Amino acid sequence: MFYEPSKRDHGLPFSPLKAIVAPRPIGWISTLTADGVANLAPYSFFNLISEDPALVMFSSVGRKHSVVNAEATGEFVCNLATVDLIDAVNASSSAIPADKSEFDHVGLASAPSRLVKVPRVAEAPCALECVYVETLRPRDRNGNTIDRHVVIGEVVGVYVNEAFIRNGRVDTALMGALARCGYMDYAAVEELIERPRPADWQ
């Protein structure tokens, strides 16, 4: 099979693109409104884009609450989504009014962050405290700006539950890190495979 995404000529009931670009890490983003209401939403277009400086990004279809809040307050937190929290992650994607908190809606406890005012998910084993840097508006091949908002933040603080540190390393499989696949599918990291990097060319 071959198809062109712009033509949607794959002949399938659902687009296979997100099933192919998978698994994708989930940015479970907490923010605060200007009035101090805590917001929480998962984004499957999310990643670490630089280690030094530590920069992360999440991409939103439209200017959703997370984008508006991050821009308004200059802060957000990336909470690690894990398999034991899958139902809460999924439920937090519900569209609820900006003056209501997903923490309350889903029944999650919040915990204070150290360096930003935005709370983290207390049950999440890791959290990245971020200072907002910029929002990018991507364009298509014809130069048209699309309704996507790529928010970039610098990680200024990292919380790790020490129960998930083994032999000096954070154990991703032990945490059961959750990833997004295609359709309604998720994946959990259950096994790690290690390979040392090859030596540089001599």
Side-chain angles (χ1 to χ4, degrees):
M1 181 181 81
F2 178 84
Y3 78 98
E4 298 178 48
S6 62
K7 295 180 180 179
R8 298 180 174 86
D9 56 352
H10 44 68
L12 301 173
F14 303 101
S15 170
L17 188 60
K18 289 193 285 188
I20 296 169
V21 185
R24 300 184 307 282
I26 299 171
W28 204 12
I29 308 299
S30 54
T31 57
L32 286 175
T33 68
D35 295 329
V37 178
N39 176 268
L40 181 66
Y43 291 85
S44 69
F45 296 123
F46 163 80
N47 223 314
L48 179 73
I49 58 174
S50 172
E51 187 177 18
D52 185 18
L55 298 174
V56 293
M57 60 73 64
F58 69 92
S59 180
S60 173
V61 179
R63 292 191 77 245
K64 295 182 179 176
H65 298 156
S66 302
V67 178
V68 173
N69 294 344
E71 292 176 346
T73 67
E75 299 176 340
F76 61 93
V77 174
C78 307
N79 303 275
L80 183 65
T82 56
V83 68
D84 60 317
L85 294 170
I86 185 172
D87 291 327
V89 172
N90 186 52
S92 67
S93 66
S94 298
I96 69 171
D99 62 349
K100 306 295 182 184
S101 174
E102 285 81 2
F103 282 90
D104 297 333
H105 177 70
V106 177
L108 286 168
S110 64
S113 296
R114 292 280 190 91
L115 302 179
V116 299
K117 293 179 181 177
V118 177
R120 61 180 172 83
V121 175
E123 296 92 332
C126 300
L128 311 178
E129 300 181 14
C130 301
V131 171
Y132 170 81
V133 174
E134 62 180 325
T135 302
L136 304 179
R137 295 293 307 280
R139 292 184 239 178
D140 64 16
R141 60 183 173 174
N142 298 313
N144 300 311
T145 301
I146 62 175
D147 191 22
R148 302 297 184 272
H149 303 259
V150 181
V151 175
I152 296 176
E154 182 169 348
V155 181
V156 295
V158 179
Y159 162 78
V160 180
N161 183 330
E162 293 184 9
F164 297 100
I165 297 177
R166 292 287 188 273
N167 301 316
R169 297 181 178 185
V170 174
D171 193 322
T172 307
L174 182 63
M175 292 187 297
L178 188 65
R180 196 71 167 88
C181 298
Y183 318 112
M184 300 294 107
D185 302 330
Y186 292 83
V189 176
E190 297 177 339
E191 180 182 2
L192 301 177
I193 302 171
E194 184 173 303
R195 291 289 186 279
R197 293 185 63 171
D200 293 338
W201 178 264
Q202 299 295 322

